[in-house]
Amino acid sequence: MAVLDIEDVLLGTQTGERYQPVVPPELQQVTFPETVIDSRLVTPGCLFVALRGERVDGHDFVADAVARGARGALVRRDRLAALTLNRPFAVVDTASGAGLAEAGPEDVLLFAVDEPLHALHRLAAYHRSKFTPTVIGITGSVGKTSTKEVTAAVLQRGFRTLKNPRSYNSENTLPIVLLGLTADHDVAVLEMGMYGPGEIALLCSLARPQIGIVTNVGPSHLERMGSIEAIQRAKSELVQALPPDGYAILNYDDPLVRAMAEVTPARPFFYGLDPAANLWADGIESRGLQGISFWAHYGDEAVQLNLPLIGRHSVHTALAALLAARRPGGGGSGRVAGVRSESARLGSWGGP
């Protein structure tokens, strides 16, 4: 678990050119072992972020968070005067560091920011920039959570892997996942949700993925987005954000996803049931509760796989995960043999 200190919080939440904060000696041992946005999830010593939502405002729960053991909180400057806490506290302005010198070693630290959500984004991006994992972003109208789970299951057998807990995939929750990144992590597998245009682009600016998986484009957001084309554009923000030396892993069987190869600077790789895909499957057989069996093809190579996944749709999930795990740019020689190796890892997976 990543641990933030006061310097991290001050450096990470600043805007514009950063100043170097001077943390008094009596506060240099203060750390925040976890960051939360729900006061019910507070753990001793954590950092609470007071987010404003459609129905509730986190500032109304700062006192509850502190009572439960929060050591610090990100709060709006214009809400500070209304806060009443049951513990001594000090206000520290993140823009200047004012108030830090006067803070006592036992004080709860209220970090005054412009907007806690924006400060959380800056803090997550700053924290992400300190490490060099391979980041895999995953989106799609359907199947992104299962693809995230299966991809992480394959990778964590050989690499220290970070993944979203539950469905922490929004602009409020993905930053919390990123703040769990440590130097020990080799890979981060991150599901990215979409409420509207620009959200996936924002998440990518924080997480900086090198590999992107798009499962499909469907009508699940149609009422809000207005058209299937608008949904496609929003989902394509993931592959548009990939670097030129990255890899876009696309579902060839979905024409709207296949077309994203034209808008990504990364190298596209396709998976699906069509032989035109780079990694494709046929001979699919259901074995009931025992899972599925199918032949996986890459170029002239083929291998039969038996996996503990239920349903024909799981073939796409497995193909995407196996292709991501094989690091597509690693060359074509022995590709299917590598897929067999990765599927052996998946075969010993007992589920999320």
Side-chain angles (χ1 to χ4, degrees):
M1 180 181 296
V3 175
L4 302 176
D5 58 25
I6 293 174
E7 182 175 287
D8 290 326
V9 175
L10 292 178
L11 284 173
T13 56
Q14 292 174 34
T15 59
E17 185 175 351
R18 290 190 174 98
Y19 68 89
Q20 181 60 47
V22 178
V23 181
E26 60 270 23
L27 296 179
Q28 290 178 4
Q29 301 305 311
V30 174
T31 58
F32 308 99
E34 190 175 8
T35 304
V36 302
I37 59 174
D38 185 333
S39 65
R40 297 168 296 182
L41 301 179
V42 164
T43 55
C46 77
L47 179 68
F48 176 70
V49 184
L51 299 185
R52 293 189 297 171
E54 294 181 357
R55 301 182 185 86
V56 296
D57 188 332
H59 292 85
D60 297 333
F61 299 92
V62 172
D64 181 56
V66 170
R68 292 172 182 263
R71 187 68 169 82
L74 299 183
V75 297
R76 283 175 59 100
R77 292 185 180 87
D78 59 6
R79 294 296 302 270
L80 285 166
L83 294 179
T84 302
L85 306 183
N86 62 358
R87 287 177 54 189
F89 66 91
V91 175
V92 179
D93 196 301
T94 58
S96 62
L100 187 59
E102 292 75 33
E106 302 301 321
D107 288 349
V108 173
L109 301 176
L110 301 182
F111 296 98
V113 298
D114 49 354
E115 176 59 55
L117 178 60
H118 299 160
L120 177 61
H121 290 169
R122 294 193 295 270
L123 181 59
Y126 168 77
H127 186 74
R128 159 67 180 92
S129 71
K130 296 167 66 175
F131 307 105
T132 57
T134 295
V135 177
I136 302 173
I138 302 172
T139 194
S141 297
V142 177
K144 54 184 176 289
T145 300
S146 58
T147 302
K148 177 256 297 186
E149 292 291 347
V150 174
T151 301
V154 174
L155 287 166
Q156 68 189 8
R157 302 284 176 172
F159 302 96
R160 180 75 181 272
T161 302
L162 176 73
K163 68 173 183 175
N164 318 58
R166 301 182 290 279
S167 291
Y168 272 39
N169 62 11
S170 71
E171 66 169 347
N172 291 350
T173 54
L174 186 68
I176 301 297
V177 181
L178 290 172
L179 289 173
L181 192 64
T182 72
D184 291 332
H185 287 116
D186 304 302
V187 181
V189 182
L190 304 177
E191 175 185 342
M192 296 183 175
M194 183 272 293
Y195 188 81
E199 182 165 10
I200 291 178
L202 169 64
L203 299 181
C204 288
S205 72
L206 306 181
R208 292 164 41 206
Q210 301 99 333
I211 298 174
I213 301 174
V214 184
T215 61
N216 50 53
V217 173
S220 56
H221 307 290
L222 192 58
E223 182 177 345
R224 185 168 66 248
M225 297 292 291
S227 70
I228 197 74
E229 291 78 17
I231 297 171
Q232 180 198 32
R233 287 193 296 272
K235 296 296 184 183
S236 73
E237 290 170 8
L238 170 56
V239 298
Q240 292 183 59
L242 298 174
D245 59 350
Y247 302 98
I249 299 176
L250 305 173
N251 181 356
Y252 191 89
D253 299 329
D254 186 325
L256 294 177
V257 175
R258 187 167 68 240
M260 294 181 190
E262 302 300 321
V263 298
T264 180
R267 185 179 177 185
F269 278 78
F270 298 102
Y271 67 93
L273 306 184
D274 192 311
N278 298 97
L279 180 62
W280 60 280
D282 66 359
I284 301 169
E285 295 182 10
S286 172
R287 298 185 289 123
L289 295 179
Q290 299 302 310
I292 54 174
S293 172
F294 61 89
W295 283 88
H297 304 261
Y298 194 98
D300 296 330
E301 302 174 84
V303 64
Q304 188 174 33
L305 304 178
N306 299 286
L307 301 178
L309 302 174
I310 306 300
R312 184 182 178 89
H313 66 279
S314 296
V315 174
H316 283 88
T317 302
L319 292 175
L322 295 171
L323 194 53
R326 288 303 300 162
R327 302 281 185 92
S333 178
R335 175 70 60 189
V336 168
V339 167
R340 184 194 293 275
S341 173
E342 301 301 343
S343 68
R345 295 178 181 177
L346 182 54
S348 60
W349 173 55

